[in-house]
Amino acid sequence: ENASVGSSVFQLLAVDSDPGPEGDVEYSIVGGDGIGKFAVDKSSGWLSVVSQLDHEVTSDYFLTVVARDKGLYPKSSQMTLVITVAGVNNRPPRFPGGSSST
């Protein structure tokens, strides 16, 4: 929740042991309810925040991510990534039952 817009929060990592372009991997987000909240760098796989997150509004996001090689006939793998937004203490202390006196 306190991750600032633009900060990196997770790195995707897919491995392709083919030589040359067939072994180079690019990443993308292709679905899920976190579209518009997160972006992925297609080369490095770093997932970053692109819109302010609020635990009280949404505590979990589900993203469908794809890793695709750069071969002439590209191969790909897909997975669902679950991102849990941890809440921060953003409320003042309060007395149960209402008012108090000193």
Side-chain angles (χ1 to χ4, degrees):
E1 181 174 74
N2 62 350
S4 59
V5 171
S7 64
S8 297
V9 293
F10 187 80
Q11 187 176 23
L12 301 170
L13 178 61
V15 177
D16 189 329
S17 59
D18 290 331
E22 289 84 5
D24 293 338
V25 178
E26 289 187 335
Y27 303 92
S28 60
I29 299 170
V30 297
D33 63 355
I35 293 178
K37 293 288 185 180
F38 301 94
V40 66
D41 181 279
K42 72 179 186 174
S43 298
S44 70
W46 274 106
L47 192 72
S48 60
V49 177
V50 296
S51 179
Q52 188 62 47
L53 306 175
D54 187 342
H55 171 80
E56 285 75 27
V57 174
T58 306
S59 59
D60 294 300
Y61 290 95
F62 297 83
L63 291 175
T64 305
V65 295
V66 169
R68 181 178 322 273
D69 69 26
K70 297 179 184 177
L72 183 59
Y73 302 102
K75 306 285 189 244
S76 64
S77 292
Q78 175 176 300
M79 69 171 285
T80 300
L81 178 65
V82 180
I83 301 164
T84 299
V85 179
V88 295
N89 185 3
N90 57 4
R91 295 187 183 92
R94 64 178 182 85
F95 292 98
S99 62
S100 64
S101 61
T102 56

